[in-house]
Amino acid sequence: MNRIILAVNAFIALLLFSCTQAPKTEDFSTYVDPYIGSDYHGHVFVGANVPFGAVQLGPNNAKQGWDWCSGYHYSDSVLIGFAHTHLSGTGIGDLGDLLFMPVSDEFNYDKASKEAYQWHALYTHNDELVSPGYYSININKYNIKAELTATERVGFQKYNFSAQGNSKLIIDLVYGTGWDLLTKGDLQQDGDHSISGFRYSKGWAKDQKVYFHTQFSKAIKAIKVLRENENGINTVQIEFEGNGELLVKTAISPVSADGAKNNLNTELANWDFEATKQQAREKWNTELGKIKIETSNPSDKTTFYTALYHTMIAPSLFNDVNGDYRGSDSKNYTNPGYDTYTTFSLWDTYRAEHPLFTLVQPERVDDMVNTMISIYEQQGKLPVWHLHGNETNTMVGNHAIPVIVDAYLKGFTGFDADKAFEAIKSTMLMDERGLNFIKANGYIPADSTVESVAMALEYAIDDWCVAAMAKKLGKTEDFELFAKRAKYYENYFNKETGFMRGRMADGSWRTPFNPVHSEHRADDFCEGNAWQYTWLVPHDINGLIGLFESEKAFSEKLDELFNTEEELNEGASNDISGLIGMYAHGNEPGHHIPYMFAFAGQQWKTSERVSFILNEMYTDQPDGLCGNEDCGQMSAWYVFSSLGFYPVNPANGVYVFGSPLFESATIALPEGKSFQVKATNLSKTNIYIDSVTLNGEPYNKSFITHADLLQGGVLEFTMAAVPNKQFGQAADSRPKSGY
């Protein structure tokens, strides 16, 4: 009897214990594979960081070149060290600051050798392990295991030296990725366990400054300068007594070495590597968990969460923990009351990544907009492609404008709307980069400016955005001016050929004309051709349909884009990749094109094209991106499209339906709300939307607004293998252009 009573009591205790345990938090990081996009032309960063962190600590290869723009490529096998800053997905290489490489006692530097990285070591991917916030590698040449993790502004390295003798660490200030060149460097010992210094460089960012402070878990035995020239200290070797574990913490700052030291002491005062690694993972889990998907396909799950992960590497923080930062005028500024950011790849990210932030990163949107406004105040115009305190003026258009206007129209109020309007209006009334021709002629002559058609089409999008904000602010005169300019895309449409074409100063069309021809940086288009740029009117698709004179002609031309068997000429831009006919998914200007069918009442064709792209142009392999990742835009397209909708016009708060990839996806919203997207009868063949309900009520539109989505609720698609051509066909069910 006593045994029975004890057994019952034990069972009750176990039951009570089980009932009081908190449910296990889902580890979303396990679904992320940072190698995706590190092969082919993806150019992604591989290494350790936290969401939007200033530090991107990861491995670097010796080789330079277009596919090494991030400093690392999956095809490589030569390690030269771990740099503390990296770009992700860009088509130009830069950063790669502060390269650290642990070596064993047997390493001896030969000053007579001309080899740049004598300390290099070979590796295979079997030697590596990478996950969000963590990277490790076995450096077999030196019998060292290196592990990396990070906080926002501190890179934390853990080395285990197994070889006999003392431990050595090479710190190289010369190395820079791509265009980056050292202009001045310094490194000085700062106590028994620390060093401080700076690295100035020029490249894509013409005047970059990185200050650093490093602390070691062991006392410094000796510092030897290996290379030094007119630019100051280039490379040093630091020696530590004995082998075993060496912990290394390096903080960076855009302001000063003292700022870096304060960053380190504030963010990472302890020496607990495992706790820091876990905290980094938890930060990633918090952000990744803002969208929870349900799917029976583990490959799709990996692809999705890796895409979401890639949207949060840039923009990156560009201030110290006390808020101080370096402005685009090269002056240092004290805390403005918000976090400042850099690495704004706006020609890419205005299309979908920044609209995605308004859903899943609303707490950062105001800070990013305020950063853009401060850049305007410091350099006299909004950022074009901002990189570590520098305006690079890379790519065409002024695409801070759609980002700012999208935030304003969606109700973000954490910035000065009047100052924001001043910034967007003033920027578009400048005389630089072809805008003088826009003001004088209504078009940019092809014989005056390279990439004239692409430039003007992008400006028309920006003008629409200025008009939209002007209308909301009640600025009638400004609205009328910029609404007129937003229509200037019409000046490039040649009805005889049905393509956007370059026009000469005398108003004639540029000849000869071939819609397939592309010549990188030497024609009327930017990383594309007439086939791809004819559709770059996301702000006025109804107006574009009108230029074709009928929906039928428009749809047939759009079909031809995807079906043509024409081939690119030799020497065409490498950025034209991921081709379906002449549709190029590997580059950003066409990302909205598959959704344009819905404006002509053929939403089912959008479903076809989107489903194909989701399943064929994205995979869970290292070569799983069909073009440059471009600081998150390639991935943002996937995130949106896999949910079942996409922001065709990046600033009007309308999401056009495509073809959902998952049985269920739930977006966490402010105030504890959530928005769930369900797909019933979904399968590999059931890719068409048969019907839709919103909160249980029939929903006949082929789009949903941002405002409706923020209310929370359930959007349910019923999918079918055969298209319901009536869905989204009625005029009042289609998305429309306008203000």
Side-chain angles (χ1 to χ4, degrees):
M1 178 62 72
N2 288 338
R3 290 177 182 172
I4 293 173
I5 293 172
L6 288 172
V8 170
N9 288 340
F11 174 76
I12 293 172
L14 179 61
L15 185 64
L16 289 172
F17 178 79
S18 300
C19 291
T20 58
Q21 295 306 292
K24 187 177 181 180
T25 303
E26 189 170 2
D27 188 356
F28 296 96
S29 291
T30 60
Y31 311 132
V32 174
D33 183 354
Y35 281 132
I36 295 175
S38 64
D39 206 348
Y40 187 55
H41 301 322
H43 300 182
V44 302
F45 163 66
V46 173
N49 68 328
V50 296
F52 306 97
V55 164
Q56 306 87 31
L57 177 60
N60 288 74
N61 303 134
K63 188 171 182 177
Q64 300 278 11
W66 190 56
D67 277 332
W68 279 260
C69 285
S70 73
Y72 175 99
H73 194 263
Y74 193 80
S75 65
D76 212 325
S77 59
V78 180
L79 175 72
I80 61 170
F82 312 106
H84 286 71
T85 62
H86 292 82
L87 293 171
S88 185
T90 58
I92 299 174
D94 205 318
L95 306 186
D97 302 284
L98 312 177
L99 187 78
F100 285 38
M101 178 68 172
V103 296
S104 59
D105 198 16
E106 64 185 17
F107 172 78
N108 290 299
Y109 184 78
D110 180 5
K111 290 195 174 184
S113 173
K114 294 183 179 180
E115 184 179 356
Y117 308 107
Q118 296 178 33
W119 53 84
H120 77 268
L122 298 178
Y123 69 95
T124 71
H125 296 301
N126 291 330
D127 298 317
E128 296 179 296
L129 184 63
V130 60
S131 62
Y134 178 73
Y135 175 88
S136 73
I137 186 170
N138 294 314
I139 309 174
N140 298 316
K141 178 179 180 179
Y142 300 117
N143 204 5
I144 297 169
K145 180 177 182 180
E147 299 179 78
L148 319 178
T149 191
T151 65
E152 281 72 14
R153 299 169 182 83
V154 184
F156 197 176
Q157 302 182 65
K158 177 183 177 181
Y159 307 139
N160 196 315
F161 295 82
S162 296
Q164 296 299 311
N166 289 339
S167 308
K168 295 178 179 178
L169 177 63
I170 305 295
I171 300 180
D172 183 55
L173 302 182
V174 176
Y175 173 81
T177 303
W179 295 2
D180 183 276
L181 293 172
L182 177 71
T183 57
K184 190 174 183 181
D186 190 44
L187 183 154
Q188 301 294 329
Q189 187 168 347
D190 184 9
D192 294 339
H193 292 75
S194 303
I195 57 172
S196 290
F198 61 81
R199 182 179 188 272
Y200 299 167
S201 62
K202 64 179 181 180
W204 192 9
K206 292 180 174 59
D207 180 25
Q208 187 197 356
K209 294 183 178 181
V210 177
Y211 299 89
F212 67 95
H213 179 78
T214 300
Q215 294 179 359
F216 305 102
S217 59
K218 287 185 176 183
I220 297 169
K221 180 178 176 66
I223 297 182
K224 180 190 294 186
V225 177
L226 304 182
R227 291 188 293 188
E228 190 173 14
N229 58 20
E230 67 277 6
N231 294 327
I233 291 176
N234 289 189
T235 311
V236 303
Q237 174 185 284
I238 304 180
E239 187 173 354
F240 304 89
E241 188 71 39
N243 58 11
E245 182 179 274
L246 174 67
L247 300 176
V248 182
K249 300 187 295 186
T250 301
I252 63 172
S253 165
V255 176
S256 67
D258 285 341
K261 187 174 184 178
N262 186 49
N263 291 342
L264 196 156
N265 291 333
T266 302
E267 288 190 359
L268 193 56
N270 66 71
W271 290 94
D272 194 332
F273 182 89
E274 289 302 318
T276 306
K277 170 186 168 185
Q278 182 59 32
Q279 288 164 7
R281 192 176 185 91
E282 289 171 359
K283 289 174 182 177
W284 278 113
N285 279 336
T286 296
E287 303 305 328
L288 294 168
K290 290 180 177 179
I291 304 179
K292 297 182 179 180
I293 66 168
E294 295 178 18
T295 176
S296 57
N297 189 325
S299 175
D300 287 345
K301 198 166 195 175
T302 295
T303 304
F304 176 83
Y305 280 107
T306 304
L308 189 56
Y309 164 82
H310 280 145
T311 67
M312 295 182 281
I313 294 175
S316 54
L317 286 167
F318 193 62
N319 64 353
D320 290 342
V321 290
N322 65 359
D324 294 355
Y325 72 100
R326 183 175 184 240
S328 58
D329 55 1
S330 300
K331 298 177 182 178
N332 291 336
Y333 289 84
T334 56
N335 187 356
Y338 53 83
D339 277 329
T340 52
Y341 287 83
T342 189
T343 316
F344 286 116
S345 183
L346 291 165
W347 182 80
D348 308 290
T349 57
Y350 88 92
R351 304 173 199 270
E353 181 174 69
H354 281 282
L356 180 64
F357 291 161
T358 66
L359 280 175
V360 297
Q361 297 294 330
E363 69 279 6
R364 301 181 198 270
V365 170
D366 286 328
D367 287 357
M368 291 182 186
V369 171
N370 278 314
T371 299
M372 294 175 188
I373 294 172
S374 70
I375 291 171
Y376 158 74
E377 294 175 323
Q378 293 155 12
Q379 68 180 26
K381 67 177 183 180
L382 286 165
V384 178
W385 211 120
H386 189 262
L387 181 60
H388 280 236
N390 291 258
E391 181 54 74
T392 69
N393 282 316
T394 302
M395 310 308 288
V396 294
N398 284 314
H399 295 320
I401 292 172
V403 175
I404 293 170
V405 173
D406 184 43
Y408 175 73
L409 295 180
K410 286 176 177 174
F412 286 86
T413 59
F415 55 90
D416 185 330
D418 290 330
K419 176 63 72 173
F421 185 76
E422 174 195 319
I424 66 175
K425 177 182 174 181
S426 296
T427 297
M428 289 306 292
L429 290 178
M430 297 180 72
D431 289 326
E432 65 167 29
R433 302 171 72 236
L435 283 170
N436 54 321
F437 295 110
I438 293 287
K439 292 193 292 185
N441 308 325
Y443 74 98
I444 303 173
D447 46 353
S448 69
T449 305
V450 72
E451 300 179 341
S452 60
V453 177
M455 185 177 293
L457 293 177
E458 297 282 9
Y459 283 150
I461 299 168
D462 298 330
D463 283 328
W464 184 93
C465 293
V466 180
M469 189 168 180
K471 183 176 182 180
K472 185 73 179 277
L473 288 169
K475 298 179 181 292
T476 304
E477 186 175 337
D478 290 323
F479 168 74
E480 291 175 352
L481 170 64
F482 287 99
K484 177 183 177 182
R485 285 175 41 157
K487 285 280 191 179
Y488 284 171
Y489 70 86
E490 296 174 346
N491 295 331
Y492 296 89
F493 187 78
N494 176 248
K495 292 194 176 185
E496 182 181 347
T497 61
F499 288 100
M500 298 289 182
R501 292 178 56 179
R503 300 193 79 152
M504 310 301 278
D506 62 7
S508 64
W509 299 104
R510 183 197 283 277
T511 57
F513 174 70
N514 180 349
V516 174
H517 185 79
S518 167
E519 192 173 350
H520 190 67
R521 296 286 298 148
D523 62 17
D524 300 333
F525 304 97
C526 178
E527 300 178 359
N529 60 25
W531 263 120
Q532 289 131 27
Y533 271 90
T534 291
W535 316 98
L536 189 58
V537 192
H539 62 292
D540 190 21
I541 295 172
N542 294 111
L544 180 61
I545 292 173
L547 294 181
F548 282 93
E549 297 184 348
S550 73
E551 289 181 353
K552 182 175 183 293
F554 172 84
S555 298
E556 287 176 350
K557 190 77 169 186
L558 201 50
D559 283 330
E560 191 181 353
L561 168 71
F562 287 95
N563 295 328
T564 182
E565 296 182 358
E566 295 175 286
E567 295 183 0
L568 290 171
N569 56 285
E570 187 175 344
S573 174
N574 289 331
D575 296 283
I576 304 176
S577 60
L579 286 170
I580 307 170
M582 271 295 129
Y583 170 74
H585 192 72
N587 210 15
E588 282 69 20
H591 276 182
H592 66 289
I593 294 176
Y595 289 88
M596 296 177 79
F597 289 105
F599 288 78
Q602 296 182 330
Q603 191 283 328
W604 62 275
K605 287 186 178 179
T606 286
S607 291
E608 277 185 358
R609 298 303 179 186
V610 169
S611 178
F612 181 86
I613 295 167
L614 285 169
N615 286 287
E616 299 298 327
M617 295 292 173
Y618 295 84
T619 76
D620 63 352
Q621 298 302 303
D623 63 354
L625 293 174
C626 64
N628 295 169
E629 212 280 331
D630 285 315
C631 295
Q633 169 58 27
M634 192 69 71
S635 292
W637 187 96
Y638 183 91
V639 171
F640 263 125
S641 295
S642 66
L643 296 176
F645 46 79
Y646 186 81
V648 172
N649 179 332
N652 75 342
V654 173
Y655 304 114
V656 179
F657 293 161
S659 181
L661 190 62
F662 309 120
E663 289 88 351
S664 174
T666 303
I667 306 168
L669 300 173
E671 301 176 359
K673 296 179 181 178
S674 66
F675 187 80
Q676 184 182 17
V677 182
K678 297 175 68 176
T680 303
N681 298 334
L682 181 67
S683 70
K684 286 295 183 183
T685 56
N686 290 7
I687 63 171
Y688 300 102
I689 298 173
D690 189 63
S691 62
V692 183
T693 62
L694 179 61
N695 298 324
E697 297 295 325
Y699 189 84
N700 298 318
K701 299 175 183 177
S702 59
F703 64 93
I704 190 169
T705 67
H706 183 81
D708 285 342
L709 194 153
L710 286 187
Q711 295 300 311
V714 179
L715 178 71
E716 184 167 3
F717 297 103
T718 298
M719 309 302 292
V722 178
N724 174 5
K725 296 183 180 181
Q726 298 305 308
F727 177 74
Q729 198 278 329
D732 61 355
S733 67
R734 307 178 190 181
K736 293 179 179 62
S737 306
Y739 294 93

